[in-house]
Amino acid sequence: MKKHPRSDASPNAVDLTPAAQYVRMSDDGQQFSIRNQQTAIAEYAKSHNFVVVRTYQDFGKSGLALKHRTGLRELIQDVVSGQSEYKAILVYDVSRWGRFQNDDEAAHYEFMCTSAGIPLHYCAEQFTNDSTPSSSILKALKRSMAAEFSRELGEKVFRGKSRLVQLGFWVGGMPGFGYRRLMVSADGRPKQKMKFSERKSLTTDRVILVRGPRSEVECVRNMFQMVLNGRHGCTAIARELNRKGIKCEGRPWSHTEVHIILTNPKYTGCNVWNRTSAKLRGKIVRNNSKRWIMKSGAFAPIVDQETFNRVQSTLPTTADQLWSNEEILTRLKKLLVTKGRLSESLIMKARGMPAIGTIHRHLGSYQEIYKKVGFQYDPQNIFQGQQTGRSHHLRGEIVKQLTDMFPDSVKVSHLPNRNRSMLLVDDRFDVSLLLCRTKRRKGGNLHWVVEPNPAEREYITLLCTMTPEHNGILNYYLFPRIDSKSHRSYEADPWLATGIQLKSLSQFYEAARNLFATRRLRQVAY
């Protein structure tokens, strides 16, 4: 047997069986968990003639789902592919392998390893994992206990947070536009205002919301007043704020951000929690208002309750209810007279115009819209416009998938004075999203036009090659940066191999983090 390097290897190390160890901690606060697991595994390995030649680890990852656990996924992939250099896998206990809510899922991943000839050893358990009836029963019981622990912990956390909300403390993450977080002691004494992404230092400390800068407070009040003054929907308010150069936490306003402010009871000083939930890392669910946990008068209000209630009754349920077909046509005809032509970009930039999606829902396709206003259009421009529309929709879908898939880690961001969405990962670095349109080469084969935005070339880039109709994605690639101004890519293009191909968007988060870490290491070395 091949001798495996080991710093503390004895002369008889050649007789040891090579093994991999898998370690996991579910919370960043468990500072010594990984080290403790490795110590216990090392003792087990020494007494059972194993030598650890490979380590797989997941830091701060819940054991409820596999999709976020890069270490375990990599281990299983290596085992199944037959590329592993070890003959056993050492895990601290059953719960470190996973707290899967379906016991069969944990058994399935273990079976994949054992069927490849690489058994699991639970180093801290009181039974030997040897497939005997007694060990199988104990293992199944331990898996159920691990899953039940997560369910009970989730209920305890929910009850604890509900109590804190009803006491007037903030437990809902970032405060939002117009407010700031203030850390207070357990007896309510103010300690300090918290900056973006800061966490409280002591578990006994609490957080409340206080009014933010005067400019933000006045902006929020103006938004409510704009609704009450007349025909101002969320899209119109966002455009007016952007026209005045007012930023939403450093980025341009959107319809969604305005809507969130106008409909959130916290701006009346009401502490609200559990508007959405994702029990046991499941799908995010929007809860009925009867399930919200609320405490009135918890914070200093920005608008009074009467103003808030009037806005709720005045604000259209959807943007479509704000506009009539006749009013949209009137505005489009005025724009045509002023500009002499119509295009998607002109409509999007025009002041006082509804959103593109609202226009399409009222009036139909671009062909139907242009026909109704009497504009003679070029069919080729219509086709390109349809492609552009589908690309914009597809871009939005990708952003939504990633923010839904990684709600605690991936957010939408924008560069200063830019409207293009980017992805902010872990509040640490931005990722550019680049969709490559499809064209046909002279020989009939497809190629993709890679044209990065000049302002985004220095950023990590998620490159997506689109279908010819621009209604779907063929492949995802992650690049540390894209220096070229323009590139024509094709199938089997060697240039694509310089990036990391993702099998699905579920791999985005870990791949982006690894790429960011690699870039930083190179910068330090340089």
Side-chain angles (χ1 to χ4, degrees):
M1 183 178 292
K2 180 181 177 181
K3 184 175 181 178
H4 295 271
R6 184 171 124 178
S7 58
D8 59 345
S10 65
N12 295 324
V14 68
D15 299 323
L16 300 181
T17 302
Q21 63 177 343
Y22 172 72
V23 292
R24 176 184 66 83
M25 67 177 188
S26 57
D27 190 288
D28 290 334
Q30 300 172 343
Q31 299 180 31
F32 304 107
S33 177
I34 294 290
R35 187 180 304 171
N36 292 341
Q37 292 174 53
Q38 290 176 330
T39 299
I41 290 173
E43 294 176 357
Y44 181 92
K46 184 177 181 180
S47 62
H48 290 78
N49 296 324
F50 289 111
V51 57
V52 175
V53 298
R54 179 72 186 273
T55 297
Y56 299 89
Q57 54 192 7
D58 284 315
F59 290 98
K61 296 300 179 186
S62 167
L64 293 171
L66 181 69
K67 62 181 180 180
H68 301 310
R69 295 167 63 185
T70 307
L72 183 56
R73 291 205 315 268
E74 185 181 358
L75 183 153
I76 293 173
Q77 183 178 352
D78 289 347
V79 169
V80 172
S81 66
Q83 298 178 357
S84 57
E85 70 274 24
Y86 41 83
K87 301 299 181 184
I89 299 170
L90 309 182
V91 186
Y92 179 74
D93 64 11
V94 170
S95 70
R96 292 304 90 190
W97 186 248
R99 298 185 184 275
F100 301 103
Q101 294 304 292
N102 186 335
D103 297 348
D104 292 339
E105 185 174 0
H108 170 68
Y109 299 138
E110 180 176 336
F111 174 76
M112 294 174 70
C113 297
T114 55
S115 62
I118 304 179
L120 261 68
H121 294 257
Y122 297 111
C123 304
E125 299 291 3
Q126 297 302 309
F127 63 87
T128 302
N129 192 20
D130 54 6
S131 298
T132 59
S134 59
S135 68
S136 297
I137 291 172
L138 285 171
K139 186 166 56 175
L141 179 62
K142 288 278 188 174
R143 285 172 179 157
S144 296
M145 290 171 60
E148 184 61 24
F149 173 83
S150 293
R151 286 191 287 269
E152 290 181 352
L153 182 61
E155 287 299 319
K156 290 178 181 178
V157 170
F158 180 82
R159 289 195 296 269
K161 286 191 173 183
S162 297
R163 179 175 176 276
L164 289 176
V165 170
Q166 291 166 343
L167 290 173
F169 297 117
W170 178 251
V171 297
M174 301 310 296
F177 188 83
Y179 276 115
R180 294 295 185 269
R181 295 176 300 160
L182 175 66
M183 184 168 64
V184 298
S185 62
D187 58 2
R189 288 183 291 106
K191 298 183 72 172
Q192 69 177 64
K193 284 189 178 181
M194 302 172 68
K195 298 179 181 178
F196 180 78
S197 78
E198 280 188 342
R199 299 183 181 183
K200 53 192 183 67
S201 55
L202 300 174
T203 56
T204 54
D205 286 340
R206 299 292 177 237
V207 176
I208 62 172
L209 295 190
V210 294
R211 290 172 183 159
R214 184 180 181 85
S215 59
E216 291 189 14
V217 172
E218 290 301 319
C219 180
V220 171
R221 289 171 176 165
N222 290 337
M223 291 163 66
F224 278 86
Q225 196 59 46
M226 289 170 73
V227 176
L228 298 179
N229 285 345
R231 300 179 63 80
H232 283 89
C234 296
T235 300
I237 292 174
R239 285 177 173 166
E240 182 67 16
L241 295 175
N242 291 332
R243 186 185 67 81
K244 292 180 178 179
I246 300 173
K247 297 295 182 182
C248 174
E249 298 176 346
R251 60 183 182 272
W253 288 90
S254 69
H255 168 278
T256 302
E257 288 159 338
V258 173
H259 185 267
I260 288 173
I261 289 177
L262 294 175
T263 57
N264 197 321
K266 74 180 177 185
Y267 289 97
T268 66
C270 180
N271 194 9
V272 185
W273 183 67
N274 200 42
R275 299 177 77 191
T276 62
S277 60
K279 294 292 182 66
L280 297 172
R281 301 281 174 164
K283 184 178 179 181
I284 297 177
V285 177
R286 294 189 179 277
N287 295 325
N288 185 284
S289 58
K290 293 180 180 180
R291 297 184 60 189
W292 295 358
I293 311 298
M294 304 178 67
K295 171 66 175 177
S296 299
F299 317 126
I302 291 181
V303 297
D304 59 76
Q305 188 67 51
E306 181 183 356
T307 298
F308 183 83
N309 292 340
R310 288 173 60 197
V311 166
Q312 304 318 298
S313 61
T314 304
L315 195 67
T317 306
T318 65
D320 293 353
Q321 297 176 4
L322 181 63
W323 301 91
S324 66
N325 291 4
E326 293 72 22
E327 185 172 3
I328 296 174
L329 284 172
T330 299
R331 291 177 182 258
L332 287 171
K333 288 176 181 178
K334 288 182 178 179
L335 181 62
L336 176 59
V337 171
T338 302
K339 300 294 185 179
R341 63 186 182 90
L342 290 178
S343 68
E344 183 178 65
S345 60
L346 284 176
I347 295 172
M348 291 178 67
K349 294 177 182 177
R351 288 183 58 189
M353 194 71 70
I356 289 293
T358 301
I359 296 175
H360 283 310
R361 285 190 290 272
H362 275 270
L363 303 179
S365 65
Y366 278 113
Q367 295 100 315
E368 295 171 313
I369 293 170
Y370 292 163
K371 184 177 180 180
K372 289 174 182 176
V373 298
F375 173 55
Q376 299 297 320
Y377 59 86
D378 183 345
Q380 180 61 27
N381 291 339
I382 288 292
F383 175 73
Q384 292 175 352
Q386 290 173 336
Q387 281 190 325
T388 301
R390 287 192 289 266
S391 298
H392 281 300
H393 177 75
L394 197 56
R395 183 185 184 88
E397 286 294 313
I398 293 172
V399 171
K400 185 177 186 303
Q401 285 182 50
L402 288 172
T403 52
D404 287 349
M405 199 176 295
F406 309 106
D408 299 327
S409 306
V410 179
K411 303 174 184 177
V412 179
S413 66
H414 301 81
L415 293 180
N417 302 317
R418 302 278 179 171
N419 291 322
R420 280 171 57 91
S421 298
M422 296 183 69
L423 301 164
L424 177 62
V425 180
D426 290 340
D427 293 328
R428 297 178 64 196
F429 62 95
D430 288 295
V431 176
S432 172
L433 178 58
L434 177 60
L435 272 64
C436 301
R437 66 181 188 275
T438 307
K439 286 191 174 183
R440 290 201 176 274
R441 308 173 76 182
K442 292 183 179 179
N445 295 327
L446 296 177
H447 73 273
W448 293 275
V449 181
V450 182
E451 290 181 335
N453 187 291
E456 300 175 11
R457 291 178 192 156
E458 297 293 324
Y459 292 88
I460 293 173
T461 300
L462 176 61
L463 184 148
C464 312
T465 55
M466 291 190 290
T467 60
E469 297 79 15
H470 291 192
N471 59 359
I473 299 297
L474 295 174
N475 289 296
Y476 300 98
Y477 298 88
L478 207 57
F479 287 82
R481 57 187 289 174
I482 298 181
D483 293 321
S484 61
K485 294 182 179 179
S486 180
H487 177 77
R488 298 296 185 269
S489 186
Y490 53 90
E491 290 186 8
D493 181 4
W495 178 81
L496 290 175
T498 62
I500 302 170
Q501 184 171 2
L502 307 181
K503 294 181 180 179
S504 68
L505 285 179
S506 63
Q507 297 180 327
F508 167 80
Y509 175 62
E510 291 298 338
R513 285 187 62 186
N514 293 338
L515 201 54
F516 176 71
T518 302
R519 277 185 46 161
R520 293 197 65 180
L521 286 173
R522 289 176 178 172
Q523 290 170 355
V524 171
Y526 181 77

